Amino acid sequence: MFEVDALRLLVAVAETGSFTKAAVRLNYTQSAVSRRIAALEQQAGGPLFARLPRGVRLNPAGHTLHRHAMDVLDRLARAERELAVLHAGSGGLLHTGAFATANISLVPTALRALQHARPDVEVIAVEGPTATLMERLADGALDLAVVSDYPSGLPSPDGVTTTVLCEDELFVALPRAHRLAGASTVDLCELHDEAWLHSAFGERPTMLADACARAGFTPRKIIRIAEWTGKFGYVAAGLGVALVPSLAARAVPDELVLCRLTDPALRRTVHVALPAAPLPAALILRDLLHDAVD
């Protein structure tokens, strides 16, 4: 393993082109620099510098190690800055996650408010299904996640707490030419002959399967499409219908209409999930998420 101090010395010699100048910069003796560089070259398996009549210059092996040394030192410097800010109780990195439709408007609105309120917080955002986000929270990879109980319920891993953010009504998306497109409300049983576009069905209970059972039928066909753009495309082509949460309404293309369903149970609950000991910035974002749905 290369020592961090040795990598700093490599960079200093490369930048100054001289063992003597590097020694002055780092407050070493010239003999100490020579010994450390010799030891580093032994670790690296050969010379790192071409010795010139006046000074030194990186050789190909030196350039390779220098590139990696710069990456390592940069990452360490960033870690030092982030830890200093974090321990001061303000700013630092905040790792967040959300399911797809929360990223259409809800989460971006809250993150924009966070950017204005706390510009010292750098957000690293990821998207994924609720089960994956909850696992990453439990593993410490995320500091906050926006999750929901749709389509198959809300997992409850150890060390993760959830609070209700909002109720999100589910509509049915129909092509504009559909016979029910102009209806104010639609009973699910009126769609018993339709193919349904759904990301998961049959593996475990889902909200759609339960709702269809209450309406007295089983969907004649399930087309498994995970991405919303794909679902919207299939619906627009008249190949099926889909449940669409109200959070996704802004993303629905003009070729489709959203119709309210008569089943009051067709709604999902959106939650904010946090680890047991949340970061201060995560608590601020939690409050801003609540503001975004008020």
Side-chain angles (χ1 to χ4, degrees):
M1 297 291 291
F2 299 112
E3 295 181 359
V4 173
D5 286 344
L7 296 179
R8 288 197 178 98
L9 182 57
L10 172 75
V11 170
V13 173
E15 289 178 349
T16 61
S18 164
F19 287 0
T20 302
K21 292 177 181 178
V24 172
R25 175 185 289 190
L26 298 178
N27 198 27
Y28 288 170
T29 65
Q30 183 175 352
S31 60
V33 170
S34 297
R35 288 195 303 271
R36 294 296 298 274
I37 291 297
L40 183 62
E41 289 180 323
Q42 186 174 9
Q43 279 187 290
L48 298 171
F49 291 94
R51 272 66 173 178
L52 307 174
R54 292 187 177 181
V56 296
R57 183 178 61 209
L58 290 169
N59 64 19
H63 279 293
T64 297
L65 185 57
H66 179 268
R67 184 178 70 253
H68 290 289
M70 292 294 290
D71 289 342
V72 169
L73 295 174
D74 178 64
R75 290 178 70 94
L76 288 173
R78 289 179 59 192
E80 186 176 3
R81 290 194 301 270
E82 290 166 14
L83 286 170
V85 171
L86 185 61
H87 290 315
S90 60
L93 279 180
L94 183 68
H95 293 83
T96 69
F99 57 87
T101 51
N103 280 329
I104 292 173
S105 177
L106 173 61
V107 172
T109 298
L111 289 180
R112 180 178 57 193
L114 179 67
Q115 189 176 58
H116 290 308
R118 297 296 298 274
D120 54 337
V121 175
E122 181 182 354
V123 175
I124 307 297
V126 299
E127 182 177 290
T130 285
T132 300
L133 297 175
M134 295 291 269
E135 288 175 4
R136 296 191 68 180
L137 269 170
D139 292 341
L142 289 179
D143 302 310
L144 176 148
V146 178
V147 296
S148 85
D149 58 1
Y150 179 83
S152 303
L154 188 67
S156 54
D158 292 339
V160 176
T161 62
T162 60
T163 56
V164 174
L165 183 59
C166 64
E167 294 289 324
D168 193 20
E169 184 176 359
L170 298 176
F171 298 88
V172 63
L174 305 173
R176 288 197 174 274
H178 194 278
R179 58 187 173 82
L180 297 173
S184 56
T185 58
V186 173
D187 194 298
L188 207 60
C189 66
E190 297 178 90
L191 300 169
H192 68 279
D193 286 332
E194 300 286 350
W196 285 86
L197 303 157
H198 206 263
S199 59
F201 198 94
E203 299 166 343
R204 52 180 174 166
T206 62
M207 201 172 289
L208 175 62
D210 290 345
C212 291
R214 287 193 298 273
F217 71 96
T218 300
R220 70 171 182 83
K221 183 178 181 181
I222 296 291
I223 303 174
R224 296 181 66 117
I225 303 290
E227 298 295 333
W228 287 102
T229 50
K231 290 178 183 177
F232 294 154
Y234 272 65
V235 174
L239 299 175
V241 300
L243 291 180
V244 176
S246 61
L247 284 178
R250 288 190 181 185
V252 174
D254 292 339
E255 304 96 306
L256 308 185
V257 296
L258 295 183
C259 295
R260 180 167 272 113
L261 292 158
T262 57
D263 187 342
L266 276 171
R267 59 186 61 241
R268 65 180 177 179
T269 306
V270 180
H271 302 254
V272 178
L274 293 165
L279 295 176
L283 296 176
I284 294 171
L285 180 56
R286 177 199 60 188
D287 294 341
L288 292 172
L289 285 163
H290 281 281
D291 292 343
V293 298
D294 287 344

